[in-house]
Amino acid sequence: MTAIINAADLASESAGPRPPVLLDVRWQLGGPPGRPAYEAGHLPGAVYVDLDTELSAPPGAGGRHPLPDVADFGAAMRRAGVGRDTPVVVYDGGQGWAAARAWWLLRWAGHRDVRVLDGGLAAWEGPLSTEEPKPEEGDFAPVPGSLPLLDADGAAALARDGLLLDARAAERYRGDVEPIDRVGGHIPGALSAPTTENVAENGRFLPVDDLADRFAALGATKGAQVGVYCGSGVSAAHEVLALELAGVPAALYAGSWSQWSADESRPVVTGPDPQ
């Protein structure tokens, strides 16, 4: 089973005997809340899920978007109609970061049938709805651990002994600019691999062979020990998804740069070189 689905196949499945639960996870870093956009029009039957409050814990020592409390996350998914055996499709406005965060969390928590709408809402050619559904309560019970997760020490070790990819923009990796966190730069040993290079101009993922070539050039091949971080663990989930499409399992450092850079005892490297 692939981790993504195109709009035509989603339309077909939604009209079929076993339609997926649809989660609208529209969110944009520094942008307006996704709820008004959802209310203005969403995929028919989709339930809105808020990244900041339902897919994250409050900001703090764990970073700007720490993983949510497992019980709270499970309750949010059940309210949205997610069952342990129901297929789920998540989408956002087209950037893919928020949808990938929801995909990663559900997969990490043990759900086996989760896909991201490739290209997001922008790829959808069918009608939109302003009606807010009231789904039947689901029975999904999270069991964390199905996908690998890194803490700060694990990320540092992987940067030394394996391959740690930095999914932020290259200028943030180099430390030329840092618009959000305490200091710019990167984790020693990490390689720059911006998430934006995983997709074409239309926001859809590059073909699998192209993704595999891209990651292979960075050393991310089958059998390699690979991890990913970003600013706060959101766009890094998109890179983990891209790596999965390329056949390369990867761990997520959920605290990411927002957690690492807030700890003044952690070393920081600036410039284009990993070390």
Side-chain angles (χ1 to χ4, degrees):
M1 178 183 297
T2 182
I4 60 175
I5 185 171
N6 64 42
D9 287 345
L10 177 57
S12 177
E13 289 191 19
S14 295
R18 193 167 177 256
V21 171
L22 301 177
L23 303 182
D24 184 313
V25 201
R26 274 180 277 181
W27 173 88
Q28 184 175 350
L29 179 63
R35 181 83 193 187
Y38 168 82
E39 292 173 349
H42 51 265
L43 269 62
V47 176
Y48 179 71
V49 175
D50 185 76
L51 185 144
D52 288 321
T53 61
E54 294 177 300
L55 302 182
S56 306
R64 280 184 282 111
H65 288 107
L67 296 187
D69 175 82
V70 172
D72 291 344
F73 174 65
M77 293 298 98
R78 290 190 294 273
R79 286 195 302 271
V82 175
R84 57 171 57 93
D85 296 319
T86 55
V88 179
V89 172
V90 295
Y91 72 91
D92 56 26
Q95 189 177 38
W97 296 2
R101 168 73 170 217
W103 167 85
W104 188 91
L105 277 169
L106 280 163
R107 290 281 291 106
W108 170 75
H111 202 294
R112 292 179 289 184
D113 191 353
V114 190
R115 289 165 292 172
V116 168
L117 174 58
D118 195 17
L121 186 67
W124 180 254
E125 297 181 353
L128 298 180
S129 173
T130 57
E131 180 179 349
E132 186 166 352
K134 301 192 182 304
E136 182 178 342
E137 182 94 356
D139 63 355
F140 175 64
V143 180
S146 290
L147 293 181
L149 178 66
L150 296 171
D151 59 12
D153 289 338
L158 195 58
R160 291 192 305 268
D161 304 325
L163 179 65
L164 183 66
L165 301 179
D166 185 318
R168 297 172 300 159
E171 58 268 23
R172 291 184 68 191
Y173 171 88
R174 295 190 301 265
D176 299 345
V177 298
E178 182 43 65
I180 306 172
D181 295 312
R182 182 184 67 85
V183 64
H186 57 268
I187 296 172
L191 299 185
S192 179
T195 295
T196 51
E197 296 179 15
N198 297 327
V199 297
E201 290 184 3
N202 60 8
R204 301 182 194 182
F205 280 99
L206 298 175
V208 168
D209 288 347
D210 291 350
L211 288 172
D213 289 345
R214 183 207 176 196
F215 292 125
L218 294 165
T221 56
K222 293 179 182 178
Q225 296 296 309
V226 182
V228 188
Y229 75 97
C230 60
S232 65
V234 176
S235 67
H238 188 276
E239 189 118 300
V240 172
L241 173 54
L243 282 156
E244 173 150 317
L245 294 175
V248 181
L252 176 71
Y253 173 25
S256 284
W257 188 247
S258 60
Q259 181 187 47
W260 182 278
S261 64
D263 183 349
E264 296 186 18
S265 71
R266 297 282 179 185
V268 171
V269 175
T270 58
D273 294 330
Q275 299 292 352

